[in-house]
């Protein structure tokens, strides 16, 4: 039962505005509300969860449940850019293992970790729906297909 | 009666009320469809797919979950078909993919539905060879409960219970698919007061009790159907024991009392029963110290002193207890009335409390009332299972709640809270009455009482201004009262005791009378046998059956039953006794199961000539005693208790008492048999005395014998027998103690703060530092730390800081306490819970009932 003690310094009025927009919808407004706040803050701090819970009248346990259900929502600090490397069937058969290792090599971190400078978080994902581009990865919202270790180095601007 | 429909299961014709769930209908004809998520007390969900059956539908036979399918006319159901069986076996196989092989060390093993159903409905083999998922296995979700996420079958029962009954949805579902787990929000352990019920509802060993874990195997346990005696509701429990040790308490279903529920104190706080600090032998004061003695020595010493003291019976007194059985209380008052000729008999919260003596109308009333008026009642802290029924009434039936309390309590979230300052409750209640009288129908009801109306109108003009209440809250409250079809008025010890108690209760009764609901006014006492102690006549002015001393025919009836004469003059009340003690006017005091010294009365008790205490522990009072008698706990002796709805219930012996401890009924019987008059009576040469002059000899061989006598002597217990009480107990009708209600003018209590700045409010909390709770180790974190609670507004005015040690002073005492900001406390008041370590509230009250004036100041 360790509580995340790190608190995010966020622009309260902006979050307040998002919450106010979704408040009336109650639980139905939960997902968009969390998404919008996260787009703004990067991750969902305990304070944010409490605030949203109180205002949308959703139990805290439920909020965390929803965050954990969706892999795109975070309740721990993550890097500025999230790299999602697909390792599902099509990507795997086309060399996702190599792609992943070069991400690991250049970033110096493993899946689920964040670089010390806070720039990147590396994740391994099931099928991201771009099998035609296999092996592929997403960096933030950008899709990068037909990846090779070289292309990875380019993407990370490390050469 | 609902429409009946006919349908078939496996070709068998079944009749059932339309809309009944298939799983329940099947059960009635002996088909036990296996379930995990379905539970009779929870809304249907259909999460686990264990209960699959086939039904004939438009598109042929379909698999459906029988726990969510209502029966309908002509429905054709196949339970034992190949496809249905395969489906259930498949569900089980899926459930078991990741289930750990813990059975040999799992608390649930042996009474586990998953084990049973895997045996009965499973394939016995798995297609899976992959490694199992690993999750948290020893994961405390509160001080009471351990979660093993690997064992969970994700049935949601725990989540739903906390949501649907407790209204505290503190557990949630996290992640998804095969990785789904139950969890709390990080950093927020469960604090629901009845959370332990989820341990019992969990169909596997995922939720276990941290008090009982690994201390038994279910098949080794012996079961005794008994009661919980932590509060006045008298929840039914099953005491599970092994080798003379209590291992766990489970809820026992009684629809009339606790349904299927227990609160966490009742379920988990039984550590005191076998605690090493229990008294195991009599103690006798020799050369100033308490030293072990034999029962012979101890009882002889008591008898010798008491015989001598009884020459001046007004200087002898006995304190009974609302925590011990009817039998013990009955014998205590009988002994002191019959042999010692003293009416100085009372118990804490006895005659000093203003109550009609009938408890609450009934627990079932919680299912009917549409308005709950809670006056000085904190149900969440004092009677959590009854609080569940209140929540249910609010959430399911949209019942309204009106609270009158100087402090905001948990139930305040359900309704309107009016916060009169201490001493202003009567003004508020009268204000409400006056406002209601403006309604014609209500005024008609008050009809002839023009005097009352005039008096009332006179007294309460502009109550809102005087009381500093918002017009809208007050108006809302009046509207709630006016609209109510079936209001239930409940008041607690916090307002029924002390100087303003009588006025408070009268004013509330007036209000109820105006609404034609005087028989729906109820008193919520704190302790398990508060009603029983009253019924047994442990009151200075009432005989068994709550009969007044002036009732000549009842007195003569009693004298015929008992032999001897019953003293005619009312005796001292509990507070009166302690005052007398302080004046050095008591030569002998017998205290049974009560601890006045812990309530700041030790100085007074030191002046008692001879003090005898029977108790489970060496209490503060026992430490001062001349003789200490080790008493048996209720699980160690047969006995009956009467709960707050006047239900007499039995608590049979489940284990032997430790050492040489003995039950109170037996101790008292031995004392009575030692009384000199007994020798006299036994002496064949004695002169014949007048009939009815000589008290009968006691010859009880068991508590059942005592109960038999109670059934003869106490009119409302007439005909009760141990056997007839059965598992559900028997309620005596409230009409057996008729009220003569009429509107009465109430004088406003004259409470004055004098030169003090605040009112001190002291009330009980569930988790206190008393021996009955604090001896259970797992509960230690839950005990409230001693502190004085104060509103932030007052804090600012007093320019004090949070956490700072301050001096709290009342006219009765002064203590140092840390300061705690608590917005539930209204400005101008201080709140210190009763029963905390060091007994700060008790020292400030000095035996009085609150509120008392107080002030705070920084410690120099
Ligand atoms: S929950 Fe039931 S099946 Fe699972 S380990 Fe415990 S006893 Fe065995
Ligand atoms: S912990 Fe028990 S009650 Fe709760 S979901 Fe899991 S199996 Fe069901
Ligand atoms: S398998 Fe990688 S995107 Fe579908
Ligand atoms: S018992 Fe029917 S789905 Fe769980």
């Amino acid at each position: 039962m360790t509580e995340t003690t790190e608190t995010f310094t966020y622009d309260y009025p902006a979050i307040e505005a998002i919450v106010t927009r979704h408040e009336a919808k109650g639980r139905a407004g939960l997902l968009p509300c969390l998404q919008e706040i996260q787009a703004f803050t990067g991750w969902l701090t305990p304070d944010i969860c409490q605030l949203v819970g109180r205002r949308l009248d959703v139990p805290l346990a439920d909020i965390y449940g929803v965050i954990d259900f969706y892999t795109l929502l975070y309740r721990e600090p993550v890097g500025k850019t999230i790299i999602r490397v697909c390792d599902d069937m099509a990507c795997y058969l086309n060399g996702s293992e190599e792609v992943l290792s070069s991400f690991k090599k250049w970033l110096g971190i493993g899946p689920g970790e964040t670089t010390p400078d806070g720039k990147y978080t590396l994740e391994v994902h099931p099928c991201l729906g771009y099998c035609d581009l296999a092996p592929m990865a997403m960096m933030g919202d950008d899709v990068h297909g037909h990846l090779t270790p070289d292309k990875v180095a380019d993407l990370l601007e490390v050469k | 009666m609902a429409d009946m429909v006919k349908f078939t299961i496996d070709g068998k014709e079944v009749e059932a009320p339309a809309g009944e769930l298939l799983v329940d209908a099947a059960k009635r004809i002996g088909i036990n469809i296996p379930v995990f998520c379905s539970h009779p007390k929870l809304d249907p969900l259909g999460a686990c797919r264990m209960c699959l059956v086939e039904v004939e539908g438009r598109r042929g036979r379909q698999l459906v979950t029988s726990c969510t399918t209502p029966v309908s006319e002509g429905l054709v159901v196949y339970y034992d078909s190949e496809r249905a069986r395969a489906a259930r076996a498949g569900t089980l196989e899926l459930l078991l993919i990741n289930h750990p092989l813990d059975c040999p060390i799992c608390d649930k093993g042996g009474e586990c539905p998953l084990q049973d159903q895997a045996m009965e409905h499973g394939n016995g083999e798995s297609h899976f060879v992959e490694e199992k998922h690993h999750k948290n296995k020893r994961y405390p979700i509160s001080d009471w409960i351990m979660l093993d996420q690997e064992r969970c079958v994700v049935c949601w029962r725990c989540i739903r219970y906390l949501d649907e009954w407790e209204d505290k949805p503190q557990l949630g579902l996290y992640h998804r698919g095969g990785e789904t787990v139950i969890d709390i929000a990080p950093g927020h352990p469960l604090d629901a007061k009845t959370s332990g019920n989820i341990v019992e509802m969990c169909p596997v060993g995922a939720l276990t009790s941290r008090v009982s874990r690994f201390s038994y195997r279910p098949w080794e346990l012996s079961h005794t159907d008994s009661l919980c005696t932590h509060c006045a509701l008298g929840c039914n429990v099953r005491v599970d024991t092994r080798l003379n040790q209590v291992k766990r308490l489970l809820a026992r279903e009684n629809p009339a009392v606790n349904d299927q529920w227990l609160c966490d104190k009742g379920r988990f706080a039984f550590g005191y029963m076998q605690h090493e600090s229990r008294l195991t032998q009599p103690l006798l004061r020799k050369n100033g110290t308490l030293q072990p003695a034999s029962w012979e020595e101890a009882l002889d010493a008591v008898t010798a002193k008491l015989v001598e003291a009884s020459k001046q019976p007004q200087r002898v007194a006995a304190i009974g207890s609302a925590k011990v059985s009817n039998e013990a209380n009955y014998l205590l008052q009988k002994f002191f009335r019959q042999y010692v000729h003293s009416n100085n008999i009372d118990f804490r919260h006895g005659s000093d409390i203003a109550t009609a003596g009938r408890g609450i109308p009934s627990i079932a009333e919680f299912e009917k009332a549409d308005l709950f008026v809670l006056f000085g009642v904190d149900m969440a802290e004092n009677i959590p299972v009854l609080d569940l029924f209140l929540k249910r009434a609010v959430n399911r039936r949209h019942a309204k709640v009106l609270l009158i309390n100087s402090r905001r309590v948990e139930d305040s979230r359900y309704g309107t809270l009016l916060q009169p300052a201490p001493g202003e409750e009567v003004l508020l209640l009268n204000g409400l009455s006056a406002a209601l009288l403006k309604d014609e129908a209500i005024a008609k009801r008050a009809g002839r009482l023009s005097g009352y109306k005039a008096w009332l109108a006179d007294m309460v003009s502009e109550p809102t201004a005087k009381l500093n209440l918002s017009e809208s809250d007050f108006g809302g409250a009046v509207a709630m009262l006016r609209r109510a079809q079936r209001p239930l008025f409940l008041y607690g010890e916090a307002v029924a005791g002390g100087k303003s108690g009588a006025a408070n209760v009268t004013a509330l009764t007036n209000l109820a009378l105006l609404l034609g609901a005087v028989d729906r006014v109820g008193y919520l006492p704190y302790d398990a046998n508060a009603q029983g102690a009253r019924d047994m006549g442990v009151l200075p002015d009432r005989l068994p059956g709550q009969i007044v001393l002036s009732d000549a025919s009842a007195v003569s009836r009693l004298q015929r039953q008992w032999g001897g004469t019953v003293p005619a003059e009312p005796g001292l009340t509990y507070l009166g006794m302690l005052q007398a003690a302080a004046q050095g006017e008591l030569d002998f005091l017998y205290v049974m199961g009560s601890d006045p010294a812990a309530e700041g009365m030790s100085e007074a008790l030191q002046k008692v000539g001879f003090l005898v205490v029977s108790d489970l522990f060496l209490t503060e009072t026992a430490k001062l005693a001349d003789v200490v008698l080790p008493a048996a706990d209720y699980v160690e002796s047969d006995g009956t208790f009467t709960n707050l709805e006047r239900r007499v219930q039995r608590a049979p012996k489940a284990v032997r008492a430790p050492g040489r401890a003995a039950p109170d009924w037996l101790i008292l019987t031995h004392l009575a048999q030692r009384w000199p008059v007994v020798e006299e009576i036994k002496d064949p040469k004695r002169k014949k005395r007048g009939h009815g002059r000589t008290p009968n000899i006691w010859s009880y061989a068991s508590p059942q014998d005592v109960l038999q006598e109670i059934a003869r002597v106490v009119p409302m217990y007439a005909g009760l027998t141990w056997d007839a009480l059965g598992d559900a107990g028997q309620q005596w009708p409230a009409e057996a103690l008729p009220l003569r209600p009429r509107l009465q003018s109430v004088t406003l209590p004259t409470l004055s703060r004098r030169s003090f700045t605040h009112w001190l409010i002291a009330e009980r909390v569930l988790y206190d530092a008393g021996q009955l709770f604090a001896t259970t180790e797992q509960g230690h974190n839950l005990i409230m730390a001693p502190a004085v609670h104060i509103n932030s507004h007052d804090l600012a005015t007093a320019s004090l800081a949070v956490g700072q040690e301050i001096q709290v002073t009342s006219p009765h005492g002064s203590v140092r306490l840390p300061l705690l900001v608590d917005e539930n406390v209204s400005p101008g008041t201080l709140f210190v819970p009763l029963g905390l370590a060091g007994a700060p509230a008790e020292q400030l009250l000095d035996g009085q009932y609150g509120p008392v004036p107080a002030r705070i100041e920084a410690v120099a």
Side-chain angles (χ1 to χ4, degrees), chain B residues 36-37 147-149 151-159 171 173 182 198-199 201-207:
Chain B
F36 286 117
C37 65
L147 169 63
D148 183 327
Q149 293 174 330
R151 293 181 193 158
C152 170
V153 293
V154 200
C155 69
W156 302 43
R157 283 186 183 179
C158 51
I159 300 181
L171 273 175
L173 217 49
I182 301 298
I198 66 176
V199 172
M201 299 173 96
C202 178
V204 290
L207 295 168

Side-chain angles (χ1 to χ4, degrees), chain A residues 19-118:
Chain A
V19 176
T20 311
R21 195 140 26 80
H22 295 287
E23 199 164 11
K25 284 179 277 175
R27 203 181 187 294
L30 181 61
L31 209 48
C33 181
L34 291 176
Q35 267 181 313
E36 282 171 40
I37 297 177
Q38 183 175 284
F40 193 73
T41 60
W43 64 288
L44 300 163
T45 65
D47 315 16
I48 293 175
C49 294
Q50 299 233 11
L51 172 80
V52 174
R54 251 196 305 275
R55 297 276 295 277
L56 271 61
D57 197 19
V58 179
L60 199 53
D62 240 15
I63 300 212
Y64 283 110
V66 165
I67 297 177
D68 279 8
F69 186 88
Y70 292 103
T71 45
L72 298 185
L73 294 175
Y74 298 92
R75 56 182 173 106
E76 280 98 37
V78 284
K80 262 207 156 52
T81 305
I82 295 173
I83 301 173
R84 301 186 169 95
V85 183
C86 171
D87 78 337
D88 227 321
M89 197 61 75
C91 292
Y92 184 84
L93 293 175
N94 283 294
S96 67
E97 273 181 316
E98 279 193 325
V99 173
L100 181 63
S101 6
S102 56
F103 271 114
K104 289 205 271 195
K105 185 178 93 193
W106 293 119
L107 296 174
I109 55 172
E113 292 172 4
T114 301
T115 53
D117 60 3

Side-chain angles (χ1 to χ4, degrees), chain A residues 86 88-91 127-131 136:
Chain A
C86 171
D88 227 321
M89 197 61 75
C91 292
C127 183
L128 288 163
Y130 294 98
C131 309
M136 60 78 64

Side-chain angles (χ1 to χ4, degrees), chain B residues 21 67 88 124 139 188 216 265 274 295 336 344 365 371 402 444 454 472 487 570 582 585 606 674 682 686 795:
Chain B
L21 292 172
C67 70
R88 293 191 297 266
Y139 178 37
H188 295 266
Y216 60 86
K265 190 177 193 179
Q274 269 120 12
W295 273 109
F336 280 88
N344 294 339
E365 188 60 38
L371 171 68
L402 171 62
K444 213 186 259 166
S472 74
E585 287 166 8
Q606 270 158 12
R674 267 156 215 269
K682 280 186 184 158
R686 84 194 156 98
L795 186 78

Side-chain angles (χ1 to χ4, degrees), chain B residues 12 14 60 93 166 212 323 355 472 475 521 542 575 594 604 624 702 704 765 815 820 838 849:
Chain B
K12 254 182 272 170
V14 189
E93 189 176 341
E166 254 291 356
S212 305
K323 290 182 180 148
T355 161
S472 74
V521 181
R542 304 265 170 147
L575 288 181
S594 180
L624 304 174
S702 68
Q704 283 76 4
V765 288
V815 291
L820 194 82
Y849 291 85

